[in-house]
Amino acid sequence: MKRTMMSLIGVAVALGAVTGVAAVNAPAGGDHKAARGSARLPVQRSALACPAPTSSEVGQTDYTAFAPKGAAAGGDGTKGTAALVPAGTVKDAGGSDNGKGKGKKSGKGGKDAAGGADSASGQLVAPRDTKPVAPLKESGTPATASTDSADAPALVGAADGTLAPGWTVQQTTSVAAGAGRGLMGLNCTTPDTTFWFPGVSTAADRQDYVHLTNPDPTPAVVDLQLRGKDGSLGGSTGEDITVPPHATVPVLLSTLTTAPATNASLQVVAREGRIGAAVQATDAKLGSDWLPAAADPSPSVVLPGIPKDAGSVRLVALAPGESDADLKVQLATPSGLITPAGLESLHLKSGMTTAVDLKDLTKGEAGSLVLTPADGSSKVPVAAALRVTRGKGAKQEMAFIPATRPVEQRATAADNRAKGSTLSLVAPEKGKDAEVKVTASAGSGGGTPVTKTYTVKGGTSRDLTPPVPQGLKGTYALTVEPASGSGPFYAARMLARPQGGVPAFTVQMLPDDRGTVLVPTAGQDLSVLTK
């Protein structure tokens, strides 16, 4: 009897403790109606992984870290920390010399490389130092760092407290000459277990590396699958790739298959652990850039931010499920939605990659591509990305625009200068205008924040020169948020930094930062003690 009574008392104490924690973390002055079911609270911890930037001897990489101010960043009042530290690198694994040779096979076709349980003769090289890179001291002001090292490492890190919600790090690399010349930009990735990359290539004129970066203290095991126009590419060997803790494994995609493909889709799945993943694409004529993962496959997708002077646009799409997809293709322009000539619909065969050259789609007018089910009711999910080019002849540069998530609460683009940034906003649904609040943060070296609100009519896309902080010194961040009553919208940011006649540029998607989560509210219910 005493033992039973003590157990009941322990349960009551535990319930009281849970209730107490919920009360402490509840936002002051919050919505009491929402609190009865759940409350939207800032995340208390976030993680990021940045791949190794470049192996070029003439490359310069800038890092810009930022955490926005605002109600969503309130947290529990803890000031918090946010920093990246260098990661180890697995050399000679699956072509992981990062452009310095063809490398070895990985996975089942090369267990002595990065594959299998041993990750073995893919040598793990520890970072030279563990000094934090671009650590943040406060929200609302960017922190910066730069390197011109040809062997700059990958970075992994975490943020907590008030710096965790919306923590963003932009990695921007300028390469002055060589096959990879141009501007490469990437928002460091949030670790996950599944990534889709439509638009990769294993053709002879491309060198595409997928960088697999493990931010956690336990190993991750990853499978890679390539799909071409006829389905899975033959000779694929990208299975059982072990990524050691706090380390990165770059894998040359052409070593994974015996079937070269100009247009392909890559699926990355972490069967154990989680990773950050991004593809570094280098074209013999069109320079290089990062191809970020597309948004999770969905029946409708939006690809914002096609430059008005795009010389060519190539759409690469995949229906990864068991059903074919028929899509309606539309371009959202400043004046409305139009259907590209000769492309009223697009048929995607299940498990096969489809590529369509849209040429000079924009005709001198900025736009965003909107793909929706042709019959209006299909639920077949699709993944998609664009490769866009600017310039002519030998002075061309490429960038990628993957499908992205809508901005529901907030999104951030770091590393903006006084000139060279273009913000693209698209409200894809007719009759649902978007009211977008855009805030230019303080500069990394000084400056006063500026906020402006813009209207985007439903069914249109709008390019604008974003606001600049007053008295700007250094770089700054742009934060976009829906104003009250706004319709759905998507966003992207283009950086343009010409290099010797080449219109070098890069485009970053601005998906919602998921800086808040819905947390169920706990309450005392002593009736459980009698059940």
Side-chain angles (χ1 to χ4, degrees):
M1 180 66 182
K2 287 184 178 179
R3 186 172 300 169
T4 301
M5 183 59 69
M6 290 299 291
S7 298
L8 292 176
I9 292 172
V11 170
V13 171
L15 286 172
V18 170
T19 305
V21 170
V24 168
N25 286 339
D31 186 340
H32 296 293
K33 293 182 179 180
R36 278 197 283 266
S38 61
R40 182 167 289 279
L41 300 177
V43 297
Q44 297 180 0
R45 183 177 174 83
S46 56
L48 291 174
C50 309
T54 181
S55 60
S56 174
E57 298 288 346
V58 289
Q60 169 81 27
T61 298
D62 297 319
Y63 298 97
T64 305
F66 181 76
K69 287 185 176 181
D76 58 2
T78 304
K79 184 176 181 180
T81 60
L84 298 160
V85 295
T89 302
V90 176
K91 297 289 187 178
D92 301 321
S96 66
D97 48 0
N98 205 19
K100 298 177 182 178
K102 288 296 182 182
K104 303 174 184 178
K105 298 275 184 177
S106 67
K108 286 187 175 180
K111 293 273 187 180
D112 60 339
D118 53 5
S119 188
S121 56
Q123 180 184 3
L124 176 60
V125 179
R128 294 180 180 178
D129 62 60
T130 57
K131 182 179 179 181
V133 176
L136 275 180
K137 296 180 179 180
E138 60 180 343
S139 60
T141 301
T144 61
S146 62
T147 179
D148 58 3
S149 174
D151 58 355
L155 304 175
V156 295
D160 57 25
T162 58
L163 300 179
W167 182 45
T168 301
V169 179
Q170 165 86 12
Q171 173 179 298
T172 308
T173 302
S174 178
V175 179
R181 59 103 178 101
L183 190 66
M184 298 185 289
L186 180 71
N187 283 329
C188 296
T189 56
T190 301
D192 207 339
T193 57
T194 304
F195 301 86
W196 292 93
F197 297 95
V200 300
S201 176
T202 61
D205 59 354
R206 278 268 292 269
Q207 276 201 330
D208 286 15
Y209 283 84
V210 59
H211 290 245
L212 311 172
T213 307
N214 181 0
D216 295 326
T218 56
V221 179
V222 180
D223 290 343
L224 306 177
Q225 184 176 15
L226 286 165
R227 293 181 175 92
K229 63 180 182 179
D230 298 317
S232 181
L233 292 183
S236 181
T237 57
E239 298 181 6
D240 300 325
I241 299 174
T242 299
V243 186
H246 304 303
T248 191
V249 178
V251 179
L252 181 60
L253 296 186
S254 61
T255 67
L256 301 181
T257 178
T258 57
T262 299
N263 303 295
S265 299
L266 170 68
Q267 182 184 16
V268 178
V269 177
R271 290 190 287 106
E272 297 180 21
R274 59 178 189 160
I275 57 166
V279 173
Q280 188 179 45
T282 301
D283 188 279
K285 297 180 180 179
L286 302 177
S288 61
D289 206 346
W290 289 99
L291 169 58
D296 291 340
S298 173
S300 298
V301 298
V302 177
L303 303 95
I306 305 173
K308 64 181 180 181
D309 60 349
S312 68
V313 179
R314 177 186 295 171
L315 169 65
V316 181
L318 170 77
E322 297 180 354
S323 301
D324 294 359
D326 288 292
L327 299 174
K328 183 178 181 180
V329 181
Q330 293 179 295
L331 180 69
T333 71
S335 57
L337 291 166
I338 63 172
T339 300
L343 192 63
E344 291 75 15
S345 64
L346 178 65
H347 180 72
L348 304 180
K349 293 183 178 180
S350 169
M352 302 180 186
T353 297
T354 298
V356 180
D357 281 322
L358 303 175
K359 300 180 180 179
D360 55 342
L361 173 70
T362 58
K363 304 293 184 181
E365 197 172 50
S368 301
L369 202 65
V370 180
L371 306 178
T372 55
D375 62 4
S377 61
S378 173
K379 300 298 182 183
V380 179
V382 299
L386 300 172
R387 190 207 70 183
V388 298
T389 65
R390 298 174 68 219
K392 297 180 180 180
K395 300 291 187 178
Q396 294 185 75
E397 163 80 328
M398 71 175 183
F400 295 94
I401 298 176
T404 188
R405 302 190 306 271
V407 180
E408 296 174 346
Q409 300 289 328
R410 183 187 57 200
T412 297
D415 193 10
N416 298 279
R417 314 292 171 89
K419 297 181 179 180
S421 292
T422 300
L423 182 63
S424 297
L425 304 171
V426 54
E429 298 185 26
K430 288 184 177 180
K432 295 185 178 181
D433 296 355
E435 295 290 330
V436 184
K437 184 173 71 171
V438 180
T439 300
S441 75
S444 57
T448 304
V450 172
T451 298
K452 293 185 178 181
T453 299
Y454 301 90
T455 299
V456 185
K457 292 184 178 181
T460 71
S461 183
R462 180 177 179 181
D463 271 17
L464 54 93
T465 300
V468 176
Q470 294 179 358
L472 172 65
K473 294 181 180 179
T475 65
Y476 71 99
L478 286 170
T479 300
V480 296
E481 303 169 273
S484 178
S486 173
F489 74 94
Y490 299 73
R493 188 278 316 270
M494 181 180 80
L495 291 179
R497 298 179 189 169
Q499 298 178 355
V502 176
F505 75 115
T506 182
V507 182
Q508 279 71 58
M509 302 298 100
L510 304 185
D512 191 89
D513 65 18
R514 294 177 174 173
T516 61
V517 291
L518 286 174
V519 179
T521 301
Q524 291 184 354
D525 183 3
L526 296 182
S527 66
V528 299
L529 302 179
T530 62
K531 295 181 180 179

